[in-house]
Every structure is written in structure tokens, then in C-alpha cells.
Amino acid sequence: MYRKYKKRPQKALNTIDENTTIKVPRLADTTADVSAESTCSGSEENIPASQEHTQRFLSQHSVILAATLGRTQSTGRNILSLSRQPNNFFELVLIRAGVQLDQGDNLVLACDHVSIVAKLRDIFMSASSYTDKVETFKTGLSAAMAPKSKLVQKLLTGCTVDASGEEQIYQSQNSMFMNFLMIDFLRDPCVEVLLSKIEEVATADRVLTGKAAIPLPLLPLMLAQLRYLTASHKQQIYSRIEGIFHRATDAAKLDIIASAELILDASMHDEFVELLIVNYSSTEDLFHMTTVHTLSNLSLSESTQEKLRLRILEYATSGECPDTTLAHLIRLMLNILKLDTDDSVRDLVIKLREIFNWRHTVHRDDSSAPVDNKKSQLELFGFLELGLIRSKKFYQTWQRTAASLPAEGFTSFELIVLLLLIHVNEDNSLYIENILRRRIKLEHITVSILEEVKLHYKHILEQHISTLMHILHDFMREKNRTVSDFAKSSYSILFKIFNSIQKNILKKLLELTCDKSSPHLTTMALELLRELQCKSAKDVQNCATLLIPMLDRINDLTLTQTRVAMDLLCHVAFPDPKLTGCLQLQEQVDMVVKKQLINSTDNIKKQGIIGCVQLIDALARIQIDDVEIDDSFTSVENVDSLPDGRGKLAANLITRTEASIGSSAESLALFYEELATVLSQRHDVTSVCGPDHQFIAWACELITFRFQNSFVTEDLAETVKGIKLEYQLNINELDDTNVHTDTEVLSIGINISKLVLLPKAKACDSIYVLAPLFNCVRALNNHRHHYSLEQINALLGCAIVLPAFFEDDNYLAIFDNFRDEQQIDILSIYFHTVNWMRVTISAFAAQRDAATRRRVLTRLGELIRIEQRIKPLLVRAPPDFVAPPYQFLTNAKVQKRPGAPKASAKANATVVEPDANQTTMTDFSIKVGPCKTVKPKIDFEQMYGPREKYRPMEVGIIMLLVEQKFVLSYPLEKEQVGEFLGLLELRFLLEDMVLKLEAAVNGQQDSSDTDSLRLHLAKPEDFICDLLPCLLEVNNHLRTLAEAIDTQLVKVNHVYSNLDLFKEQFNYIRTCFGLCIRLFALYFAWSEWMDKSQAELLHKSLYQLHPKEQWPVLKKKSIPRLATVTFEYFLKYEKSVLNLSTAVQLHRLLCCLLKVGSARFDISQPSFQHAQDSRALCDKLLRRKWFHHSGTVDKGAQCNTYLDELVKGFFKNSTPEHQSKLLGELVEECAILNTKDKALNSFPNFKKANFPLLFRGLCEVLIHSLSAHLSVDKKGDHLQLWESTVDLLNGLLRIVQLVEQPRNFGLFLKHSQIFLKLLLQQGMSALESIVRQDPERLTKFLHELQKVTRFLHQLCCHSKFIKNTAIISYIPTLRETIETLVFRVKALLAANNCHSAFHMGNMINRDLHGDSIITPVSSFAGEEDSDEELPADDTSVDETVLGENITAISVSTRPSDGSRRSSKSSTSRSKCF
């Protein structure tokens, strides 16, 4: 009872002399007797019984009034307020009981409720004509309860208790009507009056209220009085309420519903819900918020809750359910957890997922975010969280559901639920993390799920962001790249979504950078920090001081990590001019770089060079205006001429760096290479400034002058160290395009040979600096002249000083006659030449000038020719020859390698090098005999061998494929050189593009080049974007190549072994076709296609692969539709595939297109049909016989790897019908594998050695298909699934028995054990349902299963006998599984009164051929329980017999305890249980 204490007023009271009388008019005579009369005021003895009711009432009133006046006078109360006389007997009773009727809006009680009830009881019990008084009281109560009565609200609301003698007045929440109900003989009359008044008020045409100062609706007050009668009057109350509800107004109905929990007994709740369902046919009306609140608190049966769940599902998926209501509907659904049965909880989870997934789909299709109601969202998931806390079964069901959902079924809602599961019970966090990890590895979850979470569940994600951050922190440490990349992308997305956790993310990433145990993790964290800085520069800039501790660990980083770290630190220390730099970080970075440059340790000095380059780049980027400044003729004499500012600081830093490393050629080469790469990087012009144009002008003039001074020569060629040199490969000629060119420029050359043979003393003149320095010249000229290299285009085709013998037809014999040192020098010259040609071709490939393009193509042809002529030289080269380094991050030390002896001995001539280098090349050619030209064998699988380490081409090389004519010529005709791309040139370009794309997409690159900074790795998104116009040309070439292949296939009648398909020119066509397919497969395998920011580029890439006349129509299609069209387009190239590697690449390409299409949600896509098309493609490819480029049958480890990938694609989404058909086909023909070198007829690439690849696919798809069917809640004949699976398992058994291959044994045992476990977990219920309906069917099933278990027993016995450890390791768990299965079957039969049909027999231990195995036997008492020695001889049991001696199951059981005794007699039988 609530008491509201209030102190009495502190006003001084008047003094009352009780010996004197109060002067009240006309009442003076009675005042003296008040005291005496008050003692008998509760009695009616002084009133004659014959007196009329009216007179009796007045007499009672007089006595009560006198008593009240006397009491009031004695307590000092105001007697004027009590002057109203009672109007009826009802009021008189209340007054006699000590109730003041007119004190404010509440009744004032002179004592507590218990005393009031006692007084009321005494009044009635002591009075005569008891029945009449009750009726009179009822009449008065009815009048007082009338809607127009002034007392009705007072009777139904709380009272004020002002007891005599107490210091304080308190408010009671109990009404006066409650006091009436506490008297047994008044209860029924009061209930009758109350129900009548409820009906009157509920059916009124308006809402009736009381007459107090603050009027309250009467119906809720009246209904509240019934809460004390729910048990005693439940039937009466419900019947009356039911009748009232049918006739009540809408508002009254809501009042009744709101009070239903209190006024109806729990046994009536189901009937009341039925009443609601009948009255509210509209679901929207039924689930009014008031109704939902009431229903949530009712005690309902399972059937009623099932009806409500269906109505809730209907309403929630109608599109009319607001978020505020949905939260409470979910709470209502969670009431089923009170029952906590398996079926109810499972159904609840299914319904909840349907609701959320439907809303998720609707919001996605409408392309609009749902209502962003934070309160409703938190309330909704708060109810779910309470349900997970309250019910362990609900928690476990969600956990199992999340683990077993198919890939397409895992949505953002499931991710939120998993976070809730971890929050509710952190002990399960590891298990739930593993669920997420496995799904990420299988790519069931991509980073797009976080975008969906942001859209649908942002507020609840923010509430549980710490849990998600902890999971991502663990995932960042994962070795699996898919998982770590997911964590990396997730951090980037969360950084944009929540500003509140940005500092926390940066701190966690900085923590990972300091983890010395995992270099890969450090690199990833640094790359992510740099990415965040690029995309959210302002946010990272605000946390700049957090990055300072990174400098303390800079020396522990690798060179690649140092580059990323210094890139981050320098651009934060010196940001764009529009942002404020961090002075503290600037000082620290400058100091660290200076210390590293003067350090004597080679690695730290290289770190200093890398840091310097990054600092120069950050300092120089201050050009914020978009106006193109033509500074072609601007000249800056020296550093002092530069204006003060960051540009001058960058120039000074270049000068200081060159001075610090000027004595080391490798350091200078590294410096120029890094500077060129940094200057070549493209940045988003909206977020990053360009380099200062005056700084660029100064640096361009300085570096160009140094290059010309060190490497350009006009000297006459001479003989050096016995090697005759001459100017070669000059393609600079006067024509119409360069008539104004100075003739001296056309005669210059690059003195490569002399720099190799007679190196200069200065490090800046070293041959190692040649390519890096020119690369830097190219980058600076691109900046200065707006990507025009006209000022230095003479370097493209200028002559090169080279050995004269190389162009001789007899060059191999001449090379053999040089000494080892000369051979090493010659090879070094040509490796440097190739590197020089590669860097110049890459530099000028993007130039649009026609004459320049001709020279580029001519130079490309010469490059390919030189590389091919070097190949036989490397075979003859000294074994200790190592290609000269082209990158200088890692030390390239010459190591002696064991090699084969030279192919040609130096017996033809004895060469003695005379003094003063007088020997001429003519002397050598005279002394050697004629040598037959040896045509090198072309490797169509790998373009370069392990010793051919050339400088990689720059990304600009891809421009050679754009708008360039292609002809199917090998080699090109003389008049075609410089005008067309031939097969050789196309293969070269495609090989280079594939390697770059593979590095950008999959992170696979040459181990010797891992530390180098390559543009396609630094900015993969730019590289992918640049590839688009190139891919359009590649697509045209693909059509040309496919037409040539199809034409040739028609000529040979599609006989794939025809020798015409293995000619050299056609092999080039096949190779180029395969490279085109591989390029497209890698392009669409880029993981960033899932990012919405790449949607426009993806859309463009898909529709532009088709003919231009179709573009207007295709532009209007969505990405999934375009992916479908492109899938069908590439599927047509299957007939042109001639290599197994190309077949695999085509399969990968189609899978990537399916993935790209399915990632963009469009439920109308026929994805199932495309999956079947992909499976059919793999089927066709597997049934073809594949040949190598040489014409021999393809085989080997790489071939098996490709076949395994096609097998997995073939069995993916395979139906049981397909599996059964294939098994029947293999059973018929697999016996041929036992013949040496024989292959399957239907799958000609599979022989006995690699047949386990196909068999493993069969086993895996059987288990996967079974698990998939079990995860779907289907109704019907469950045993049919298990029967079909056992039939398939027996098909596998027949194959195992026909082809005795040890690997097949292990695969069959492993997957059979999984099947048996699934049968125990989810199949026993199917057996229970059929045992009485169709026992013969159950008998047949167990009989088929017994074939499998019997073979498993024989296999275990045989493996133990021959000590096959691979099989023995499975025996303990297999034995336990089969034991459990036997006991479960026995219990099933016993429960169905079939115990007598279950018999145990002995089974002989046999090998796979049926011969008995004789092994020692031990007694039960002397046998030790050892899992490693099983199956033991005395513990095998056989013959679980069902019915008429039909053997059902054979099992192996655990051995008995004790130690084994070898002295026991031998036996071939196993003891039974």
C-alpha cells in the first residue's frame, strides 16, 4: 500500500476548552449529550422497530451527526465541512463507518481499510432485517455508481486515510469499492452492480468520465475492480465481458482488452483470444498496440500461440506493420519460450527469420532504407536478447541455425543475432567466431553484409560494436587471406559509419602494427591505415598524434612495410594545404629520416631512402589549383631559385639524399626507382594535391642532364676485353615526322656494353642506375609536359652499343668459345639491354603519336627476338651466372649454382686473349667451324625460365593493345613490323598483363620482386579501371582467335589428337586464346567488385564486352542481368578450348560471373539454371581427352590439380539423380582401371593413379547433399532420403571393391563414418516412424546398411593386419559410432515390442578378399582398452538380426579391460557382447 505522507500545517491551533459548549444555533441542547450518545452510535437499539424507514434514517442520521460533530470538535477539525446530510442508506453506512464523502476528489477514511471493513461488517451484522439492508445498500450503490453521480469516481479511486491520533495523512491506492468486495455477503451484489455499470458505460456512445476536478474515464476504473474476483467469479465475469465486448464501442473494447490480463482468469485467456480473433478480422485492427501489450501478458496455450504467430507473420510481412508495433509483436511471439519445447522453439526461429528476411528483402528491392527508429530497434532486439537469456534451448537453436544455413540464407540479421549470442554468453564466442570464419572462407559472407547492417540495423550494431571489433581483431590475425581481407575491409567500412569508434579502430590497428610475430599482419594493418588516411584524411588528421609511437618501431619493419608506414606518416605530418599539419609529427619524421640516411647499416639506409622519397612526395604536393601550367620552357637554375616553401624543402631533401648515398650505385638506383614510382602514382585530384610545378621543372632538368651525361654516348665502338662492340638496333631515322630533328640526335647511342665491361668510378655512372634513372626522367617529363615525352623520344629508338657476334647465325658456337668471364659479361650486357628496352617501351607505350607507336612496336619485336636468342645462351652459360639485379631493395648476391656441363665443348678453337685488346671478332669467326642452327624449343606453358629474371614492364604497356591492329601471323612479315601486333607480340603483352593482374587480384608475384613498389599493386583500383579499354580489344582478339581455332577444328573433323593442332603457329593461337580467357577470369575475380563504389565500373565492364550495336539496350539492364548475358556469351567458347588449363580458366570465369551477379541482389535471376549450366560445362570438359602442346596426353601433378578443380565444379549442386546415374556408369566400367595404363571410357583423363580425385568428389557430394536436405525442414517421407543415400553409399562400396586403391579405402571409411553419425543424430526419428507402419521396409533398409558396416569391419581388420596407419587412426571413433548405432536400433526394436527379433552372432574377422585373419585372442579379464589396436580380435560382433534371420548390421565394439596376453591360442572368430 502506497502512503503519501504530508505533514499537517504548522499554523497554531486555537485553544479549546472542553468544559464549555460550542455555540451552534439550534443544536445547543444536543451538544451536552454528544459524548454519551457517541458510545452507542453504532447501534440501532434506541430506534423503535416500528418506525418507518425514512424516520429511522433521520434518527440514525441525527445520532451519527452528533457523534461526528463531537469527534470533530475534540480533534480540532472544521465541522462546517461535514454539514451535508446523507441522501440515502448507502451514504449513511459509509458515514457511520467513518468515511467523509465531500472532502475533495477522494473519500477520506477515519481509519485504515481493515478497520473500515470491520465497521461495515459490524453495521450490517448488528442490524435487524439484514437482507433488506443489503438490498437497500445495493440500491444506493447502484445510484452512487451511476455515470452522473459525484461519488462514482471517488468510490473507484484511491482513498485518503486520516486516522485519529496519527500525525500524518497518507494516500491509499485501494478503492472504497474494494472494501465492499472484502465482505462476503456484499460481494455478489457489488459484482452484479459493477458488471451492470460496466455494460452501461461500455455501450455508451461517448467516453464517460467522473465528476471530479480531474475527471477520469470510468470504464478502466470499473474494470480494475474486477481484478480481485478473477478466481472466484471467473466464469461469471468472462460470460458478461464477452457479451459486453460484442456490443461495446471501439474505445471501450480497447479498455476491456487493456484490462483483460487482470480481470480474466488464466484459464479464460485462450477463449478471450478467440473472441478477439473473431471480432477483429483485420490483422491491423487485431494488433493494435493495446492489444499487443495485453496479449504479451496473457497465459496462452501452444495452439493459440501458433494461431497468433501465423497472424503476426501475415501482418509483419504485409508492409503495414510499423516498427514500434513490430517490436512488441516479437515480444508476443517470444512467449512461446514459456513452453520451451523443441518444435515450438524451432518454429519460432523459422517465423522470426521469415519476418526479418522479408523486411530485409522489401527494403532492398525498394532501394530505400527502413524507418530509422532507434528506440524501436533497440527495444526489438532487447526483447530478443531477453529471450536468449531466458531460454537455453532458444539460444542453442539460433546457434545451430546460424551454423547450418545455406550461403544465400545468411543475411545481416543473422550477423546481428550472432553478436547477440556472444553478448549473452561470452563462453560461446569462440564457437560463434568459428561459424563466421568458416562462412567467410567459403565466401558465404562478404563485406557487403556490413553495408546491409548499416542500412537496416545501425543502432543495434553500434550497441554491440565492441563485440564485432573484438571478432575483427581476431580475424585480422587469421592466416587465411579471405578472412583477413574481410576484417580489413570491415574496419574500413566501420570507420566511415561510426565516428565514435574511429580512435578505437586506429588504436587497434596500431597495436597490430607492433605485433612482431606476424609480418603479414603488420603489413595489412599498415596498408589499412594508409587506406583510411586516403579516404578519410580529415578524420585521421585529427588523430595524428596517435601515430607518433609508430616511429619507435620503424627500424623493425621490412622495407615494404617501411614504405607504407612512411607514406602514412609523411602525408599525415605534411597533409594537403587545406588541412592543418602536425608539427610534432613533422619534427619526429624529419629527425628519423636524417638518422637513417647516415646509418652504416645497409637495411636502415634503405629505409632512410624510402622514407626520404615519401617525405619528398608529401612535401612537394602543394599544387591545389586545377589550371594546367605550361612550364615546358620554364627554367630553374638551382635550388636557391625556388620560392620558399614546401617545394624548396623537397628539393633540398633530394640534394641531401643524393649527397648521403652518392657513393653507392645500388642506393642511387633504389632512390631513383622509388622516386619515379611515387611520382607516377595517380591520386584522386579531389583529395590529393599535385606536385609543385616549379619543383618538377627543377628536378626534371637536373635528372635529365645527369642521364644524358652518364649514359648517352657518340663515341666510336671498339673492342673491349676481346669482345667486339658496335652500334646496333638504331631505329631512329629521318622521315616526314622529324624533318626538323638534328641529325646528331639520330646518331646517339646508349653505351651499355662499355659500362658493363669497363665500369666507371662514379656510382652515378653505373650501369645499374641506367634503367631507374631513365624511369625517373620519364616520370618527371610526364609531369612537366603533361604526359608528352616528345622532348626525350630519341631515346626510344636510339642505337645500343652491343657485341657484334649476337646477330651472327653462328652466334651459339661463337659464344661457346668465349671464356666463362666473357660469357658472364656478354649475358650481363644483354640482360641490361633487355631491361633498357623494357623500360623504354613501357615509357613510350602510352604515346599516341603514330611514328612513336611504330617505333614502340618495332622495339617490342626486337625485344622478343633478343629474349628468345638469350634462352640458348643461358643453357650454355656458366653455372654460377646470375642475372644482374633490376631492383635493389634486396641484396642480389651472386651464388654458385650446380648446373649441367656446357652443351658444346671449346674444342674447335683455343682462344688466348692477346694484350691490348687486339683480338677482333673476325679472328673468332675464322677459327670456329660451321654450326648447325639449333632452334630452341618453345615453352608454351611458361614464357620464362628460372634464370630469366628481367625487369617487369610498367603498367603503361597495356596501352599497346588499345586501338592496335592484330593479325594471326607468326612471325610478322617485314612490312607488317611496326604496324600490327602478331601472335608473338600478343602473347608477350597478354603474359605481362596476366602476371600483373594476378598480383593485383590474388597477391601472387615473383618472390624476388615482392618488396618493389609497383603501381598495379599500390593502386589496384586504378589498374583495374585502366584495363577496361584494353579488355575490349582483348575481347575482339578473343573472337578472332576462337574463329581460327574453330576453323582448324572443322578441318580436322574435331579430332583433338590430330597433329595439325600441335603446329607451332597453331600452338601460339591456342596459348593466346587461353591467356585471353585467363585475363577475363582474373579481371572478374577482383574482390572489390562487391563494393558498391565499383558498381558503375562493373556495369560498364559487363555491357561493353558485347558488340557496340547492343550497347544501348544493355546499358539499361541491371548488373545481375548483364552478368547473365555475359555468362552465356563466354559459355559459347567451350568448343574452342583445347588446353586443360584454359578449360579451368573458363570454368573460373563463369563462376566469377555467377558470383558477381548473385552479389547484386536480384531474386528474379535464374541462378539455379546457370549453376546447372556450369556443372554441365564441367561434365563436358571432364569427358574430353586433353593433350599437351607437344601432342602427348596431358598428365602430371598440374594436370591432376586442374582435374580436381573441374571435378569439384562438376559435383557442385549435383542432384541425387545425377549422382545415381554417374555411379551406375562408373560401376560398369571402373574394372578397366585394374589394367595397366587404361583410363575410364567416359572420363578418359582418369586412370587408377588419379581415380581417387573423382571418387573423393563422389563421396563429398553424397554427404553434402544429405546434409543440405536435412537442414531443410520438410514434411513427408523422411526415410526415403536415407534409403536413397544408402543406395548411393552401396554404389560407392561397389566401386571400392572393384578398384582396390588405398586412397579410396580411406575416403570411403571417412565419409561412411560421417553418414553413420548423421543417421544417429537425425535419422533415428525416421526409423521410429516407420517401424510399425512398414517393418519390411525397415528390414530392407537395415539390410542395405549392413553391407556397408560389414565392409567397414573387414576394412578395419585388413588395415590393422597390414598396419595401414592411415586407416587405423579412424578405427576408435568408427567403432564407437557403430556401437551406438547397434544399441539405438536395439532400443528402437525393444520399444516397439520387437526385442525378440534382435539377436547377436559371431562374425569372422576377414580381409578384403574374404579370407580369415588369424590373430591372437585375449580374455575379457586380461584385455586392455586400447583404441590404437582396434579392431581387436575378440571384440567384433556381427549379425544384428531383424525378423527371420536377416542380418542387419555388423559392428566392432570396444575391447574389454585388462592386459593383452600373447600366449593365448589363435582364433578367427570374434566374441559377442
Side-chain angles (χ1 to χ4, degrees), residues 375-606:
K375 180 180 178 182
S376 298
Q377 190 175 110
L378 295 180
E379 190 176 36
L380 188 154
F381 284 95
F383 291 144
L384 280 179
E385 183 179 338
L386 289 175
L388 293 170
I389 294 173
R390 184 170 60 183
S391 172
K392 182 179 180 181
K393 192 166 292 183
F394 185 50
Y395 185 100
Q396 292 174 342
T397 304
W398 264 120
Q399 195 168 263
R400 287 194 298 267
T401 302
S404 60
L405 282 174
E408 63 276 5
F410 197 94
T411 63
S412 55
F413 173 65
E414 272 71 33
L415 179 61
I416 293 296
V417 169
L418 289 180
L419 295 180
L420 282 175
L421 293 177
I422 295 176
H423 177 71
V424 170
N425 187 0
E426 293 184 0
D427 294 340
N428 285 342
S429 59
L430 184 60
Y431 176 80
I432 295 171
E433 282 184 26
N434 286 334
I435 293 176
L436 291 172
R437 184 180 288 106
R438 178 172 58 84
R439 288 190 172 275
I440 293 170
K441 287 179 181 178
L442 297 174
E443 297 185 351
H444 294 174
I445 302 176
T446 61
V447 290
S448 60
I449 198 171
L450 288 180
E451 294 288 351
E452 297 170 20
V453 172
K454 171 190 174 183
L455 179 65
H456 300 282
Y457 310 112
K458 178 180 178 180
H459 304 297
I460 191 66
L461 176 63
E462 186 174 9
Q463 190 178 71
H464 296 280
I465 193 66
S466 59
T467 304
L468 181 59
M469 291 279 289
H470 179 76
I471 294 173
L472 294 177
H473 192 69
D474 291 342
F475 285 177
M476 284 286 286
R477 300 176 181 274
E478 188 72 23
K479 292 182 180 179
N480 184 280
R481 186 182 174 189
T482 306
V483 178
S484 57
D485 284 349
F486 173 85
K488 179 181 175 182
S489 302
S490 300
Y491 269 132
S492 181
I493 293 174
L494 294 176
F495 193 84
K496 299 176 188 176
I497 298 177
F498 302 114
N499 295 333
S500 58
I501 64 169
Q502 288 179 344
K503 279 192 176 182
N504 192 16
I505 290 177
L506 292 178
K507 288 179 180 179
K508 284 188 175 293
L509 292 177
L510 288 171
E511 177 187 339
L512 294 175
T513 60
C514 299
D515 189 349
K516 298 182 181 180
S517 62
S518 177
H520 169 72
L521 183 61
T522 301
T523 303
M524 182 181 295
L526 288 170
E527 289 175 349
L528 181 53
L529 283 170
R530 179 63 178 124
E531 180 184 337
L532 295 179
Q533 195 275 332
C534 292
K535 295 181 178 179
S536 307
K538 187 175 180 181
D539 296 325
V540 176
Q541 199 67 35
N542 294 334
C543 307
T545 53
L546 292 176
L547 303 177
I548 294 178
M550 191 187 297
L551 288 167
D552 297 334
R553 207 204 153 211
I554 202 74
N555 290 341
D556 298 329
L557 303 179
T558 64
L559 297 178
T560 304
Q561 294 168 350
T562 301
R563 183 186 296 112
V564 181
M566 293 305 297
D567 185 9
L568 169 67
L569 293 170
C570 293
H571 285 85
V572 173
F574 297 95
D576 297 342
K578 57 187 177 182
L579 298 177
T580 304
C582 179
L583 296 177
Q584 188 178 358
L585 188 57
Q586 291 176 5
E587 295 173 358
Q588 294 290 330
V589 168
D590 185 62
M591 180 178 64
V592 168
V593 168
K594 289 178 181 177
K595 286 183 177 180
Q596 288 176 331
L597 282 176
I598 62 175
N599 197 293
S600 58
T601 306
D602 183 62
N603 191 68
I604 295 179
K605 184 179 283 292
K606 289 179 179 179

Side-chain angles (χ1 to χ4, degrees), residues 39 148 216 256 335 338 356 407 505 570 651 669 822 857 899 980 986 1002 1028 1222 1249 1252 1288-1289 1330 1366 1403 1467:
T39 58
K148 296 182 179 180
L216 298 176
I256 294 173
N335 280 348
K338 296 176 183 178
F356 283 97
I505 290 177
C570 293
Q822 290 175 312
L857 292 176
F980 298 94
L986 182 63
N1002 298 329
L1028 179 57
L1222 179 61
L1288 293 175
L1289 200 60
I1330 204 69
M1403 188 172 75
T1467 181

Side-chain angles (χ1 to χ4, degrees), residues 13 74 105 111 144 319 386 558 615 836 992 1030 1040 1274 1386 1424:
L13 299 177
S74 63
D105 290 340
C111 54
L386 289 175
T558 64
L615 188 55
W836 163 252
D992 186 79
C1030 168
T1040 305
K1274 284 187 175 181
K1386 181 177 180 180
E1424 183 176 0

Side-chain angles (χ1 to χ4, degrees), residues 230-231 234-235 238 264-272 299-300:
T230 53
K234 60 181 181 181
Q235 195 62 46
Y238 178 75
L264 298 180
D265 186 71
S267 60
M268 299 296 174
H269 287 179
D270 287 335
E271 295 182 33
F272 182 71
S299 300
L300 304 177

